[in-house]
Structures are given as structure tokens and as C-alpha cells.
Amino acid sequence: MAIWFVPWLGSLLLVSLWGPSAPASLLRRLGEHIQQFQESSALGLGLGPGAEALPKVGWLEQLLDPFNVSNRRSFLQIVLHSLGQKCLSFSRAETVAQLRSTEPRVSGVGDRQWLYQTCTEFGFYVTCENPRCPFSQLPALPSQLDLCEQVFGLSPLSVAQAVAQTNSYYGGQTPGANQVLFVNGDTDPWHVLSVTQALGSSESALLIPSGSHCLDMAPERPSDSPSLRLGRQNIFQQLQTWLKLAKESQVKGEV
């Protein structure tokens, strides 16, 4: 099966990596994601049919030079393989046409469904308006909202109303949950939409420094940062506490 470990990057990532100003930090962070992808192969996940094999683990341990064209080309090839594609179009019209299509697809599986969910439930659009952002600033919010209208006929006002309804239903950043631990990484662009500070003893929050998207859910590796290791320990301890309380409550109920 084809794996798309970077569903929200697409051509945005490719443009950034090919540009002459691609920072070393971006390449290193992408390397972490690729290494996670390599390790996930042990779970039976692989590339699409006909795709070339990924470089062996250890290839990513070399020092990355953002101005080295061969480094960037290798990363581009791996990203394309992970998307199950030999090339990636930069055409807006072609992208819209693909998203409108309801025919079964081998690559880009879930793109149309994900877009529909963002248009009708929660937005989640990633922008790059900070001057320090390493990606292109072209896919701004209006451009992404235009996709909702072009693909599904949903206006920006409709999207805004849908997001407001979702936040009202689930509570937004004050959900009023019980025994929930909100875990985020501060380099994940979506962490700003989550709960990053504890709202009470039953609504805890953990913000992992230098943590990327879902990094805490990946298998442990020797290269894991101290903050990530500590974050996993905190998660484990919180779960132990809640499970102990649940067991004690069950025992009391049986007495």
C-alpha cells in the first residue's frame, strides 16, 4: 500500500526543498519523518507497486547540506515515493480536477475526503505567513478556502459557519472532557488549535519541546531527544494514575 506520511505538505514541501534557501533544520526534520517511515516497514507498511526501495537506515545520519542538490533530490524522490507517485504536478487546475474526481485512485487516497472534512467541520488550514517560515507563502488561507468552493461548491462563509458549529458542539479549546491528556509538539503547526495548558486534574496537557506531528506515537529510537523521552514518561505516568483510580473505583463498587 502507498503511505502518505506528509499529507499536508505536497507541492509546498517540494518547492521548499528545491529552493536555494531550504534550511538545514527543515531537511533534518524531514529526515526524522522519513526514518520513522522506514521503521514502520516492520509493521507491514510499504511503498506502492513499482516504487524503488528507500535508502537503508543510516543514510539519514550523515550531515545534511541544504545547498547540496543531491541531498535535496534524494529527499524529493523519497517524498514522491511515499505519495505513490513518480512525479507531482504543480498545476492548480489539475489539482482541482483530481480533487473533484470520485473515481477510485491508487495515489492520493483520502485527499478529497480530507478536504471535505476541513470544509465542513474544522478548517485546519496550514498557512505560512511568518517571515521565518521555511515553506512558500503562496498557499494562503483564501487560496485554500477557494478549494472548498471549486471542489464542493462551499463558500468561505459556509466553512466559517461549519467551524463555529464544530467548536460549539465539542467545546473548542475548553472541551470539558474527563481523563483526557492532550499531547502536542510545539513544532507541529496544529498545536495552536489544541489544548496546550491543563484545564484541570482531569484535563491534562503536555507540550513537547521540538516535538513534531504525532512524534510521541512513534516507536522509541536511540536518536530521540531528551524532551521526547520525558514526554513519553509523563504520558505513561498519567495513564498509570488514571488506570489505578479506575481500578480502585471498580473494587469499591464490588464491595
Side-chain angles (χ1 to χ4, degrees):
M1 61 183 292
I3 305 301
W4 48 294
F5 68 97
V6 281
W8 56 273
L9 296 182
S11 58
L12 175 62
L13 173 61
L14 301 183
V15 171
S16 302
L17 286 177
W18 200 253
S21 61
S25 60
L26 173 61
L27 294 178
R28 292 191 183 96
R29 196 163 301 281
L30 179 58
E32 294 175 1
H33 286 288
I34 295 172
Q35 187 170 352
Q36 291 176 36
F37 175 73
Q38 289 174 320
E39 293 172 350
S40 71
S41 297
L43 302 177
L45 303 179
L47 298 174
E52 297 178 12
L54 287 173
K56 296 180 180 179
V57 174
W59 173 77
L60 294 167
E61 295 175 359
Q62 60 181 304
L63 184 63
L64 296 174
D65 179 5
F67 300 100
N68 187 321
V69 174
S70 63
N71 277 343
R72 293 201 297 273
R73 183 177 293 114
S74 297
F75 274 108
L76 289 171
Q77 291 171 346
I78 292 178
V79 171
L80 288 173
H81 288 166
S82 72
L83 295 171
Q85 300 177 6
K86 293 184 177 180
C87 60
L88 190 64
S89 173
F90 292 99
S91 167
R92 171 82 174 193
E94 186 173 334
T95 297
V96 172
Q98 290 176 352
L99 289 171
R100 283 177 174 171
S101 174
T102 57
E103 296 296 322
R105 300 171 60 187
V106 175
S107 62
V109 176
D111 288 351
R112 174 180 167 86
Q113 292 84 343
W114 169 254
L115 176 63
Y116 182 77
Q117 194 171 17
T118 66
C119 297
T120 60
E121 290 188 46
F122 42 64
F124 273 27
Y125 302 116
V126 178
T127 59
C128 198
E129 299 170 359
N130 190 311
R132 297 179 60 188
C133 179
F135 298 110
S136 167
Q137 298 185 14
L138 292 178
L141 183 58
S143 176
Q144 300 193 54
L145 289 174
D146 283 345
L147 281 178
C148 295
E149 193 154 20
Q150 294 172 347
V151 177
F152 302 113
L154 300 172
S155 67
L157 177 59
S158 173
V159 176
Q161 291 174 339
V163 172
Q165 182 178 1
T166 298
N167 284 331
S168 175
Y169 183 83
Y170 290 104
Q173 292 180 314
T174 55
N178 291 316
Q179 295 185 334
V180 174
L181 174 60
F182 297 91
V183 182
N184 292 276
D186 65 3
T187 60
D188 180 358
W190 284 325
H191 83 273
V192 295
L193 301 179
S194 182
V195 176
T196 56
Q197 294 185 346
L199 301 177
S201 58
S202 189
E203 288 183 282
S204 304
L206 175 63
L207 186 63
I208 301 176
S210 301
S212 56
H213 189 60
C214 296
L215 188 61
D216 59 289
M217 301 171 65
E220 292 185 359
R221 300 181 318 215
S223 59
D224 287 340
S225 66
S227 60
L228 177 57
R229 294 177 185 274
L230 180 60
R232 289 200 182 105
Q233 291 177 10
N234 291 336
I235 295 171
F236 181 72
Q237 291 171 359
Q238 181 65 82
L239 289 175
Q240 280 188 315
T241 298
W242 282 336
L243 289 174
K244 181 180 179 181
L245 291 174
K247 186 175 182 179
E248 291 175 349
S249 176
Q250 184 179 17
V251 170
K252 290 179 180 179
E254 294 175 352
V255 175

